Amino acid sequence: MLDRRTFVTGILSGYGLLAAGSASAGTLSGTSLSPSSDFSLTLAPIPVNFTGRPAFATAINGTVPGPTLSWQEGEDVTLRVTNHLIETSSIHWHGIILPTTMDGVPGLSFPGIPPGETFEYRFTVNQSGTYWYHSHSGYQEQTGLYGAIVVNPREGDPDGADRDHVILLSDWTDENPAAIYTRLKKMSHYYNFNERTAPDLYRQIRSEGPLATWQDRAMWNDMRMSDSDLADVTGYTYTYLMNGVSPASGWTGLCKAGERVKLRFINGSAMSIFDVRIPGLRMTVVAADGQDVEPVTVDEFRIGTAETYDVIVTPESDSAYTLFAQSLDRSGFARGTLTTSPELVAALPAMDPVPILGHEDMGMAHSAGGHAHEPVISAQQRHPHAHHHSALAPAGTAGLGSAAGIVHAATEYGPHVDMRTENPVSGIDDPGVGLREHGQRLGREVLRYSQLINRHPTADPRQPGREIQLHLTGNMNRYMWSFNGVKFADAEPLELQYGERVRIHLVNDTMMAHPIHLHGLWSELETGEPSRIPRKHTVLVQPGKTVSYLVSADALGRWAYHCHLQYHMLGMMREARVS
Ligand SMILES: [Cu+2]
């Protein structure tokens, strides 16, 4: 059970919550509830100090993050969640396939857990791997209600790891999340200090010439957008945490030279996308979103909010390595140390330059690979009474991705949508803005979605019966987010027929990356290998790009389907209803 000393440390400082003495050989890092099938989780406020200033967090069993839950594949688990907060709460088991009434989404699965009450979750765990859990109420995830889940496979670790560490990334702010949201509504650039400066302008004129520079700047000004709109909420307010430890102190995990160490990276942040690397160690990715993939060795990967990646590293000699997770907009980083001895220190790398969004990130690529699309026709022109969710005949073989043309729904036209992609290409083979040059320039191989191949055969080999094209839309300046221009409050549910196989084709009509999470059903990402389609629960859709996945609607009920960025999900959300 919970270590009393860790509990007290957490209350006093918030620093070193998980660092204290918990990284012993062969165990999971962090505060961990021992393998069991019966858990009691208490949600309550605690005083913390992540930044040098005292603040209050919402904690699970007295810690931020909450304890790592260790489950066994095939067992029935019971989780009694008691709410000692002053508002309704909930816990969602992210990526776990379970009955809809156990999914923990207030308004869809259940009414939520009122203050002072206990809700008992009970379900069978039919999968293994790395997952996480978090509140699905208000801004409670931002204030600390999240933790890791590790489900041990029935047949033992398939990757032959000698040691195992959870690496849970998150973003902490001393500000009230409701105040952050209000600021974003008033001024969407409030937290963005990456706007380009006069010296940048001269540099651009020198390299591209005055005319090209003027045209480029005019384009951005016309759109009232910025080419540095990489993150809404940044290191200006955020302190990025690794296992609940700020960069100032840094989390430490132990290993021995020659060991195969499994690092279970979880992006449990509210609003942050991280680029992760470990200078001096190559990482072999063995699982994505808890699901085994064919091992692929890289130097760096981008992890969207709510995604998880398991990697294997093998430190060859007695040494210390920095686990470095810089935020996409380079406004800060989370860091930790993997070391053979607590006395060794590892150098801290510099952050990479701030990425600059270009035409490609606006869906204006000329021929950057991917699928050839038909010219864009608005749904207004094509079907004057187009439904919100245009259902089309499937185009393209299962596993290879959608080949359908881009159709902007009639509902996408209006002041609530400030951009529509003209010629978006598939983002499946693109490492993403800021990472594209790393291979050539820095010799760092960066993970691409196209490298994710399921280690097991595609469970449902059917072709999709139909295809749903869903556009990620918004108006950055007004800070309004939606699917197909329709926000959640005004939207009809996305109707899926029980048992059907359907393709969802996401088109990102914004300048930001959105991590899209479908509850209850796998998102089978079409990465190019029909017989081995990888399963994900959260798919990062890059700016101005498309991505498609297959869904077998094999679980009845009402499921949440939304962008996992905390301040986007109010608008960019649908109920997916399987009936
Ligand atoms: Cu979003």
Side-chain angles (χ1 to χ4, degrees), residues 481 513-516 563-565 568-569 572:
W481 303 102
H514 301 274
I516 303 297
C563 174
H564 216 280
L565 299 178
H568 290 193
M569 66 179 273
M572 203 183 277

Side-chain angles (χ1 to χ4, degrees), residues 137-193:
S137 302
Y139 301 112
Q140 293 166 7
E141 182 198 305
Q142 172 83 88
T143 54
L145 289 192
Y146 53 86
I149 298 171
V150 174
V151 187
N152 303 301
R154 219 182 252 118
E155 268 105 49
D157 182 29
D159 305 302
D162 302 308
R163 185 185 298 262
D164 206 308
H165 288 295
V166 166
I167 309 294
L168 176 49
L169 306 171
S170 63
D171 45 21
W172 169 264
T173 172
D174 286 339
E175 289 187 272
N176 179 339
I180 291 180
Y181 187 71
T182 304
R183 281 205 188 95
L184 289 168
K185 282 299 260 187
K186 280 196 191 127
M187 189 185 176
S188 59
H189 291 119
Y190 186 88
Y191 296 99
N192 187 345
F193 286 77

Side-chain angles (χ1 to χ4, degrees), residues 314-329:
T314 309
E316 297 292 349
S317 56
D318 284 328
S319 189
Y321 301 90
T322 294
L323 313 183
F324 191 65
Q326 54 183 342
S327 69
L328 188 155
D329 70 319

